[in-house]
Amino acid sequence: NKSGGACQDLHIHDVDYVISVFGLVLESIADKQKSEQKKENPPKLYDLTTLQREANRIFGYTAKQTLEYAQSLYEKKLLTYPRTDSHFLTADMEETATVLVHLAAKIPPFDTCSNFYPLVSLTISDKDVTDHHAIIPTMEIEKTNLKLLPVGERNLLLLVCCKLLCAVANPHIYDVVTATFECGGYDFTVKGKSDFVEGWQEIHRIFRSSLKEQPDDDAPTRDFPDFTEGQTFHDVKVTICERFTAPPKPYTEDTLLSAMETAGKEDMPEDAERKGLGTPATRAAIIEKLVAAGFVERKGKSLIPTKDGKDTHVDEEGEYWRVFPFIENSLCLQKAESPEEFRQSAIAFGRFQHMLSDFPAHTLFETIPDFHNTRARYQQLAEAVAKDPVGRVAEVQEELEFLMDVQ
């Protein structure tokens, strides 16, 4: 099979026989091919939860960060009210939405998209709007230099503009092709798709390609090759692959928000006003409370439950150990031994600086005053030893002598 698609599994116990047959045949014949045209409608506009989910998936932002960025954009009059669970606009907003679409289409990178007639009516539904309509940009984007916004706010505003344009664009129409190949007396099936009308996916693709760092979920796509029934492929390469099942992936804020949104949905009556855990406005706070209480820790985008919900471990002798996340395939260097190690260190430091580019530095404070002031710390120790408020000095004489010897 040279089509680049995914073959169906072949279960044969005699591996040597398989290798001998395929090694001798060395050709594959396209036996059957069928094509089915499918349509993928444009996505809906953002409510807060879907905005938080996609911002986590694409940029790695936490739900709390996304809400803070959205709130700041709202206060700057660049974004509509963010705490909403609606995906639609009201009928009286249709004209405004049309103007906004044209304004958003002029913003890079969307100014490189193909021209299309916006189907704004797709975003209108009075009955589906609750207290607040879906999240969209405002007219202020026309007179605002987006480059002057903090990185996090700019990314979020562009994400909302992208969704607005996608929501009013043409459907994505593509052909799903299923082909069967005969090789060595066995049939292999491969599936693939080829775009017929790219539609709203073009806007989505252009936005994703404009990002400095590509999201983890952006898997490379392959074009399905052209072939005809009865066509023979010579010198087919054959490999036998060993595959293992993987355990379920840990939650990310994206997948956890989705689970919170639908939790208990089957047990709720159809006419229930609210379903799931929390509301769009409170789910970020719920996650932050779990992290702050030590029940969950962040590891990259993943949310990892801690042992007993704590960041300490007590061994069999009753000793307490501080628990830190283990980073696989990591290497800590005391000093760089080669130019390449210097280079890799510089790249890592640059990435770290980039991640901090929109960090709200004004929120930092000194947790323990003079923590790194060794002279002051020794003075505090001497005062504590002199007072001995809880009567422990006699128990730690060895440790005190060591500290006094190395000061």
Side-chain angles (χ1 to χ4, degrees):
N1 177 356
K2 295 185 70 174
S3 63
C7 292
Q8 69 181 38
D9 293 334
L10 180 64
H11 301 284
I12 299 180
H13 298 291
D14 192 344
V15 176
D16 291 333
Y17 169 75
V18 175
I19 294 175
S20 66
V21 170
F22 282 88
L24 289 172
V25 174
L26 292 178
E27 69 176 23
S28 175
I29 301 174
D31 188 23
K32 291 180 291 185
Q33 174 184 341
K34 72 174 183 178
S35 177
E36 179 184 4
Q37 192 170 93
K38 292 192 174 184
K39 180 171 72 172
E40 189 178 5
N41 287 321
K44 296 177 183 177
L45 296 172
Y46 282 130
D47 69 345
L48 179 58
T49 300
T50 52
L51 177 60
Q52 288 170 319
R53 289 183 58 194
E54 290 205 9
N56 176 253
R57 187 164 61 249
I58 296 172
F59 300 113
Y61 297 157
T62 66
K64 181 173 180 286
Q65 282 179 309
T66 298
L67 181 56
E68 288 174 349
Y69 295 149
Q71 181 65 29
S72 179
L73 289 168
Y74 171 67
E75 292 170 2
K76 293 175 182 176
K77 303 186 186 306
L78 291 169
L79 204 67
T80 57
Y81 187 71
R83 292 173 172 83
T84 175
D85 59 359
S86 298
H87 293 275
F88 292 92
L89 308 175
T90 52
D92 60 335
M93 298 180 64
E94 186 166 359
E95 185 176 341
T96 301
T98 303
V99 176
L100 284 170
V101 167
H102 289 289
L103 292 178
K106 297 177 182 178
I107 300 174
F110 310 117
D111 54 349
T112 62
C113 297
S114 303
N115 292 327
F116 66 94
Y117 182 80
L119 306 171
V120 178
S121 59
L122 296 175
T123 67
I124 306 298
S125 179
D126 287 341
K127 67 181 179 63
D128 290 310
V129 176
T130 52
D131 298 333
H132 302 280
H133 58 73
I135 302 171
I136 57 173
T138 70
M139 296 287 194
E140 292 297 312
I141 60 173
E142 184 179 19
K143 9 180 207 188
T144 302
N145 185 349
L146 302 191
K147 293 181 179 178
L148 300 181
L149 291 173
V151 175
E153 293 180 18
R154 181 171 69 249
N155 285 341
L156 203 70
L157 186 56
L158 288 174
L159 189 60
V160 174
C161 288
C162 178
K163 185 64 72 173
L164 173 62
L165 292 170
C166 287
V168 300
N170 295 315
H172 173 217
I173 302 174
Y174 57 95
D175 290 323
V176 177
V177 181
T178 303
T180 302
F181 293 81
E182 190 275 326
C183 187
Y186 294 92
D187 289 338
F188 295 87
T189 300
V190 61
K191 290 186 178 181
K193 71 175 187 178
S194 57
D195 287 333
F196 184 68
V197 176
E198 195 172 11
W200 65 269
Q201 282 281 9
E202 179 197 10
I203 303 166
H204 183 266
R205 172 179 55 78
I206 288 174
F207 173 66
R208 288 294 190 99
S209 63
S210 72
L211 302 178
K212 291 182 180 178
E213 293 186 16
Q214 295 303 307
D216 298 336
D217 61 341
D218 264 12
T221 57
R222 297 177 179 178
D223 292 331
F224 199 73
D226 293 325
F227 51 82
T228 58
E229 290 188 18
Q231 182 178 353
T232 301
F233 295 87
H234 298 282
D235 299 323
V236 177
K237 293 180 180 179
V238 178
T239 57
I240 295 179
C241 303
E242 189 175 20
R243 296 284 186 262
F244 299 92
T245 57
K249 293 182 179 179
Y251 277 119
T252 62
E253 297 213 18
D254 167 25
T255 55
L256 182 57
L257 285 167
S258 176
M260 293 173 72
E261 191 175 26
T262 58
K265 191 174 182 180
E266 310 81 23
D267 303 323
M268 298 289 287
E270 286 295 325
D271 57 348
E273 184 178 351
R274 299 284 183 189
K275 298 179 182 179
L277 295 175
T279 66
T282 62
R283 287 175 189 134
I286 293 172
I287 295 174
E288 291 302 320
K289 284 182 181 178
L290 290 174
V291 174
F295 291 106
V296 171
E297 66 181 13
R298 289 188 173 97
K299 185 177 180 181
K301 290 183 181 180
S302 299
L303 296 170
I304 310 297
T306 57
K307 185 177 179 65
D308 301 326
K310 300 176 182 177
D311 57 1
T312 57
H313 172 65
V314 183
D315 64 18
E316 295 176 354
E317 298 178 359
E319 295 290 335
Y320 281 80
W321 297 82
R322 180 74 181 273
V323 179
F324 293 94
F326 174 70
I327 305 175
E328 295 182 4
N329 303 318
S330 61
L331 178 65
C332 181
L333 301 174
Q334 297 302 317
K335 62 178 181 179
E337 301 287 355
S338 67
E340 179 58 22
E341 288 183 356
F342 271 112
R343 178 176 174 275
Q344 292 299 329
S345 299
I347 292 172
F349 184 73
R351 286 175 179 163
F352 176 69
Q353 290 289 85
H354 176 71
M355 292 168 66
L356 290 177
S357 61
D358 59 345
F359 185 85
H362 66 278
T363 63
L364 296 176
F365 61 92
E366 195 172 9
T367 309
I368 303 177
D370 282 331
F371 182 79
H372 294 288
N373 186 338
T374 307
R375 189 184 300 276
R377 299 289 284 172
Y378 266 97
Q379 180 62 36
Q380 292 171 351
L381 175 64
E383 293 172 359
V385 169
K387 294 179 181 177
D388 193 14
V390 293
R392 292 183 56 195
V393 170
E395 301 174 13
V396 292
Q397 281 301 312
E398 186 178 344
E399 289 83 357
L400 287 171
E401 289 174 6
F402 169 76
L403 287 172
M404 295 308 173
D405 287 343
V406 299
Q407 69 173 314

